[in-house]
Amino acid sequence: MTTQFSLDITPRFCETDALGHINNTVIPVWFEAGREPIFEIVNPGQDLTKWNMILAGFNITFAAPTFYGKTVTVKTHVSRIGNSSFVITQSCWQEGKKTAEAQTTMVHYNYQTEKSEPLSEQVKTQLAQLTGE
């Protein structure tokens, strides 16, 4: 069973900062790209007219610099499932070293009523397959 998704990224020169590291504003964008398979579970087809998620919180910890010219692997899994929300844990790895980790809280959300809604049992089951439990 697959309990996490992986996405390989080749850092671009334009993503570096004056110190030669990948800029700290870039890695959250990479993490968003790594969440796409989970978006597909909650909103099949990712139809923006039927979008049903909102980001409620995002916390990132930088453990080491990430560098240009070396492939980065973004690993993504679900670490908690609630009634209407879930937490996605992600990490960046470069040459066997973890360079960053983030937790993102996503809420199943109705934009018309501006309120959260319970996740369906089907979605919870699919998300649970990504927890490793």
Side-chain angles (χ1 to χ4, degrees):
M1 165 178 26
T2 300
T3 59
Q4 72 177 5
F5 295 106
S6 288
L7 172 67
D8 287 337
I9 293 174
T10 302
R12 300 176 302 171
F13 179 76
C14 67
E15 295 171 322
T16 60
D17 62 19
L19 299 174
H21 306 140
I22 298 303
N23 190 285
N24 62 6
T25 64
V26 171
I27 292 176
V29 175
W30 293 351
F31 282 150
E32 182 179 34
R35 291 192 295 270
E36 232 176 276
I38 294 174
F39 294 165
E40 185 65 32
I41 291 170
V42 182
N43 186 327
Q46 297 187 46
D47 182 347
L48 295 180
T49 65
K50 299 176 184 174
W51 198 254
N52 58 359
M53 286 176 284
I54 194 166
L55 190 148
F58 179 77
N59 183 38
I60 187 167
T61 302
F62 295 97
T66 306
F67 296 97
Y68 168 73
K70 300 172 185 170
T71 300
V72 173
T73 300
V74 175
K75 297 180 181 181
T76 303
H77 72 276
V78 175
S79 53
R80 188 188 70 76
I81 303 168
N83 184 46
S84 61
S85 67
F86 55 99
V87 176
I88 301 168
T89 297
Q90 296 177 281
S91 54
C92 278
W93 293 82
Q94 191 174 54
E95 296 189 316
K97 186 175 190 177
K98 182 167 45 171
T99 64
E101 183 173 84
Q103 284 76 40
T104 304
T105 302
M106 301 297 302
V107 176
H108 189 236
Y109 191 76
N110 183 318
Y111 283 88
Q112 284 70 43
T113 64
E114 298 182 344
K115 294 183 180 180
S116 64
E117 294 183 340
L119 293 161
S120 72
E121 289 305 314
Q122 178 184 359
V123 167
K124 284 183 181 181
T125 298
Q126 287 181 280
L127 292 174
Q129 292 174 357
L130 301 174
T131 63
E133 296 175 357

